[in-house]
Amino acid sequence: MLTYVAKRVLFSGFVFAAIAFVSFGVICMYPGDFYTPLEWAVRAFGLDPELPAILRAEKALDKPFFVQFWIWFEGVVTRGDFGISFRTNGPVGPFLFRPGGPAEVSLIVSVTSMAVAWMLGIPVGVLSSRFRGRRANVVFGLLTYPALSVPTYITGILIHWFIYKFIDPLMVGSGLWGMCGWRFVGAPMSLAKFGSCILHLLPIWIIVGTPIFVTVVRITRMSMEDVMSSPYITVARAKGGSELRVIFRHGLRNALNPLISSFGVMLPMVLMNSIIVAALFDIPSFAQILLQWVSYQDQHVVTAALLFYGTFLIVGNLIADVALAVSDPRIRIS
């Protein structure tokens, strides 16, 4: 088991380096750089013509691509230094990874949405498999399939309109929705603030988590229908075990393997939906940073944001691989 985990971690390290290289390269391929508008200002206002070259030299933008990448990547790996922002002239790390900053907000949105979708989707999938062929299962299928086929952006617009029309137009119209009520911003955690956070996260969970919830239900239902018709389930029932014991100890335990395998596939869906949520509710997550700072061509900030998303996917797939190896010994043996 330890050998299997070590191999997966080593492979994840190579993937991390590849994502860093590609992310850095994509930003460098964009025409011009952060100081290109300054060249126009130099011509228009008669500034020092050497100023853009001096600033590029300070940020190592005058060096070849591979040298730029190595300087930046060495700082990331050895010191956790993501470089200097061209726009703010401050370190990127404290700006992105500060407490309550974009990284924390992105993790809260993504992780909680995925957790809620799974905690609701697995029991509903089990119940749906038990009502196979009945009217309740048909009705549930008619409700879930449209939820999966409707684009997330449409769902987000509908929820945004509902909040604007029936709850508080000022909250969504002025970008004050946030992760909790504006009265609790900066206040220590309390029961009232926790309740406010749940209410503010609820529409976010619906937008981000609905496609995940429907996918989890479908996979769980199909897997449970296949497992519950197996001979060992018949043997377990013949031994006198209760139906709940047979379902959850023998059936669900073996039906989770396809669901665990699909965990890594769901992560990009969560990230894409979180970008939509950030744009609709003006949430200061990594998605909002990425959308804004790409237009600035702030190379180090955008690359760090892309690397954060890549690391999120790497860690998620690593967790799925380890969880699948724990649940199915055949994988780690092979």
Side-chain angles (χ1 to χ4, degrees):
M1 181 64 180
L2 292 177
T3 303
Y4 173 81
V5 174
K7 289 181 179 179
R8 300 306 301 172
V9 171
L10 182 62
F11 178 75
S12 299
F14 286 112
V15 175
F16 175 83
I19 291 176
F21 181 80
V22 172
S23 301
F24 197 90
V26 167
I27 304 303
C28 290
M29 288 173 61
Y30 197 84
D33 56 33
F34 180 80
Y35 296 107
T36 300
L38 181 60
E39 296 180 350
W40 293 94
V42 166
R43 298 174 185 176
F45 301 104
L47 301 178
D48 184 2
E50 299 297 327
L51 183 59
I54 294 173
L55 294 175
R56 286 191 176 99
E58 290 180 356
K59 299 297 190 297
L61 293 178
D62 59 335
K63 292 181 170 53
F65 165 74
F66 290 101
V67 176
Q68 293 182 43
F69 171 74
W70 179 252
I71 293 173
W72 175 81
F73 189 66
E74 182 188 17
V76 172
V77 174
T78 59
R79 303 185 303 275
D81 181 10
F82 291 87
I84 301 297
S85 169
F86 300 160
R87 183 175 176 82
T88 64
N89 205 32
V92 174
F95 170 65
L96 296 179
F97 303 102
R98 67 186 185 275
E104 182 176 318
V105 173
S106 298
L107 287 176
I108 291 174
V109 170
S110 302
V111 174
T112 57
S113 299
M114 178 74 85
V116 170
W118 274 59
M119 287 190 296
L120 296 178
I122 291 176
V124 172
V126 173
L127 289 175
S128 179
S129 68
R130 297 298 298 160
F131 292 104
R132 179 182 181 183
R134 299 183 186 178
R135 185 177 301 175
N137 192 23
V138 175
V139 173
F140 181 77
L142 293 175
L143 294 176
T144 55
Y145 280 102
L148 187 62
S149 59
V150 173
T152 304
Y153 192 74
I154 301 300
T155 305
I157 290 177
L158 292 175
I159 293 176
H160 192 275
W161 171 83
F162 180 84
I163 296 173
Y164 181 85
K165 191 74 174 177
F166 299 103
I167 299 179
D168 191 347
L170 180 63
M171 294 297 290
V172 294
S174 59
L176 296 176
W177 186 256
M179 305 294 291
C180 64
W182 61 270
R183 299 178 183 86
F184 299 100
V185 175
M189 180 58 68
S190 62
L191 186 61
K193 182 176 181 178
F194 180 77
S196 177
C197 292
I198 296 298
L199 290 177
H200 279 250
L201 284 171
L202 185 59
I204 295 174
W205 290 341
I206 295 174
I207 298 171
V208 178
T210 296
I212 307 299
F213 168 77
V214 176
T215 304
V216 169
V217 170
R218 293 180 62 189
I219 295 175
T220 304
R221 183 180 67 242
M222 291 186 294
S223 185
M224 282 294 294
E225 290 175 355
D226 182 59
V227 168
M228 294 304 289
S229 61
S230 301
Y232 69 86
I233 296 296
T234 305
V235 172
R237 285 172 174 159
K239 288 182 178 180
S242 64
E243 188 66 15
L244 288 177
R245 181 183 177 88
V246 172
I247 290 174
F248 289 100
R249 181 170 182 177
H250 301 285
L252 183 59
R253 182 178 180 180
N254 292 279
L256 285 178
N257 286 353
L259 192 60
I260 297 173
S261 301
S262 65
F263 178 80
V265 181
M266 298 178 189
L267 292 176
M269 191 186 306
V270 171
L271 296 182
M272 289 298 298
N273 294 345
S274 67
I275 293 176
I276 295 174
V277 165
L280 285 173
F281 292 95
D282 198 23
I283 296 175
S285 65
F286 258 91
Q288 194 76 345
I289 295 295
L290 190 61
L291 293 174
Q292 291 177 351
W293 290 70
V294 163
S295 61
Y296 303 149
Q297 289 187 261
D298 199 324
Q299 182 176 336
H300 291 164
V301 174
V302 176
T303 307
L306 293 175
L307 190 60
F308 170 82
Y309 281 126
T311 304
F312 182 80
L313 295 176
I314 291 172
V315 173
N317 282 277
L318 181 62
I319 292 174
D321 291 339
V322 174
L324 192 60
V326 171
S327 64
D328 191 348
R330 295 172 298 179
I331 294 177
R332 60 177 181 265
I333 292 175
S334 62

